[in-house]
Amino acid sequence: MTQQVQLRSIVFKDINQVELETKVKTFKLGPSEVLIQTLYSCISAGTEVAKLSGLQKVSYPLYVGNRAVGHVIAIGTEVDHLTVGEFVFSHIHHQSYSIGQQLVCPLPNQLEQPVAAMLGMGLVAIAGIQTAQPELGDVVIVTGGGLVGQLTAQLTVLSGATPVLIDIVDERLHVAHLCGINTTINPNRENPKAYIMELTSGRGADIILECTGVPSVSLSAIDYARRNGKFVFVGSPRGRYQTDITPFLEKVHLWKPGGNLTLLGAHEWKLPVKQNDFCKHSMEQNCKLLSRLVIEKKLRLDPLISHIYKPEEAQESYQDLIEHQNKVLGAIFDWRD
């Protein structure tokens, strides 16, 4: 099956150069593939800004984006779990039409709104929660108040634990309060370690969920942990950083206060796309769980959207992310005509 469309795509042409490319494209569907017309796509700020700025080495031109929602407009001959017209989430680029990639998860029609595109960031956050396994009564430190950190903190509350969100941007901490995160710290005004030790009667936090991807933050955040605690990388570490790593390793290894830590990675792609008998969780299962939590108003996404851009504003959108971190939190592209 083939289908010809007028395709619009956001492309990184070079470092700090963003363009909206328009061309006629003919999609040829394989038997198990689906073609999706995009409604909304979510900017994964940490990943995409790192690639645009040169912090993460990539080859240009680069087609970017991997979290979007839209309607299925064509299906291959062997597709039996989706129908034309169905509203779905998929890991697809910032473009007006795409072949569904990896996960193509059907969503309830009542989620047909911009916030649905942020379910992809929820998949990152929930992988961190499922890796860390917080329990009722745990104190959990979440470093970073971007989309992943905000969603991680909300999911921590739903697990029964107490999150403490740390970020240097007051506007992000304000949004966290709107979403039910009661305890936040701005380290520019308050000593996080002193606060956490007072909160935990000198023991330290049970779990650290590192959501910034900034190596220097990891080195400071490990000091907030209790003995036998867990340190989980939720955000992907990026950028070159030179330091003495021995104190960090001692925290993991030595039997002393704040030591003997378990160090864990929680990349979302550690999970299978489809559920199987060998893994408790899957990306499809998580996507459906997150959508249900949003519908039940247990997971709040609306306060997280700060900007909705048209694709023609792509250069402006990424410039805002780089230059106005205190103003941009959740950024969505609206692909509707």
Side-chain angles (χ1 to χ4, degrees):
M1 176 184 294
T2 61
Q3 186 146 345
Q4 189 177 83
V5 299
Q6 186 78 12
L7 182 67
R8 294 176 295 156
S9 306
I10 293 173
V11 187
F12 292 171
K13 290 292 189 178
D14 207 330
I15 291 178
N16 293 330
Q17 293 183 19
V18 185
E19 290 185 10
L20 179 65
E21 177 185 273
T22 302
K23 63 182 179 181
V24 175
K25 181 176 176 65
T26 300
F27 285 97
K28 185 176 181 180
L29 286 183
S32 60
E33 293 181 326
V34 301
L35 182 61
I36 299 169
Q37 183 175 10
T38 306
L39 291 180
Y40 309 103
S41 60
C42 180
I43 297 178
S44 180
T47 298
E48 293 177 39
V49 170
K51 292 177 178 179
L52 178 61
S53 66
L55 180 64
Q56 182 174 337
K57 299 301 180 183
V58 295
S59 297
Y60 303 102
L62 180 69
Y63 293 86
V64 294
N66 64 351
R67 306 173 196 282
V69 292
H71 289 133
V72 175
I73 62 170
I75 60 175
T77 56
E78 296 178 4
V79 176
D80 58 6
H81 64 292
L82 295 167
T83 58
V84 171
E86 199 158 11
F87 181 57
V88 296
F89 168 87
S90 188
H91 288 93
I92 51 181
H93 290 320
H94 294 308
Q95 55 189 44
S96 52
Y97 296 87
S98 293
I99 298 291
Q101 298 294 322
Q102 302 286 340
L103 173 66
V104 181
C105 181
L107 299 175
N109 288 334
Q110 64 200 96
L111 272 183
E112 196 171 306
Q113 49 189 306
V115 294
M118 287 197 291
L119 290 174
M121 306 308 292
L123 290 174
V124 178
I126 199 171
I129 294 295
Q130 290 168 342
T131 299
Q133 298 179 337
E135 298 178 359
L136 188 68
D138 281 352
V139 173
V140 178
I141 307 304
V142 179
T143 52
L147 281 183
V148 171
Q150 297 276 351
L151 292 166
T152 298
Q154 288 193 49
L155 291 170
T156 298
V157 173
L158 293 175
S159 75
T162 300
V164 178
L165 181 65
I166 302 177
D167 199 283
I168 60 173
V169 179
D170 283 331
E171 288 83 354
R172 292 182 173 186
L173 301 181
H174 174 68
V175 170
H177 283 288
L178 294 178
C179 294
I181 309 305
N182 296 323
T183 306
T184 61
I185 301 173
N186 185 330
N188 287 338
R189 290 197 309 272
E190 192 167 8
N191 185 319
K193 184 175 181 180
Y195 183 96
I196 292 162
M197 290 304 165
E198 182 178 355
L199 178 67
T200 60
S201 301
R203 187 179 67 168
D206 300 283
I207 297 170
I208 313 296
L209 295 170
E210 207 301 288
C211 298
T212 69
V214 179
S216 60
V217 173
S218 297
L219 294 179
S220 59
I222 201 167
D223 285 337
Y224 311 151
R226 57 164 288 189
R227 191 192 322 234
N228 283 329
K230 298 176 184 176
F231 189 102
V232 182
F233 291 98
V234 184
S236 298
R238 293 186 178 89
R240 180 173 295 179
Y241 182 73
Q242 293 184 331
T243 189
D244 178 6
I245 196 67
T246 302
F248 184 92
L249 298 177
E250 286 180 345
K251 283 281 188 178
V252 177
H253 175 66
L254 294 180
W255 181 257
K256 64 178 184 179
N260 198 48
L261 300 181
T262 299
L263 203 60
L264 297 165
H267 197 263
E268 62 178 313
W269 289 100
K270 67 187 281 185
L271 298 175
V273 173
K274 298 280 189 179
Q275 192 168 7
N276 61 54
D277 292 336
F278 303 100
C279 189
K280 181 178 181 180
H281 304 291
S282 70
M283 298 185 75
E284 183 178 60
Q285 181 185 28
N286 282 345
C287 189
K288 292 178 179 179
L289 171 58
L290 291 166
S291 66
R292 189 178 79 240
L293 291 173
V294 174
I295 290 171
E296 294 174 353
K297 301 188 184 305
K298 294 177 180 177
L299 188 65
R300 300 189 61 190
L301 299 185
D302 285 314
L304 303 182
I305 293 184
S306 60
H307 290 69
I308 297 179
Y309 298 97
K310 298 302 289 185
E312 291 76 14
E313 300 172 301
Q315 179 71 53
E316 175 189 342
S317 68
Y318 288 100
Q319 206 66 34
D320 285 345
L321 282 165
I322 293 170
E323 297 180 359
H324 305 293
Q325 187 184 48
N326 61 326
K327 295 181 180 179
V328 182
L329 180 55
I332 305 291
F333 287 119
D334 181 351
W335 293 89
R336 298 172 303 166
D337 293 328

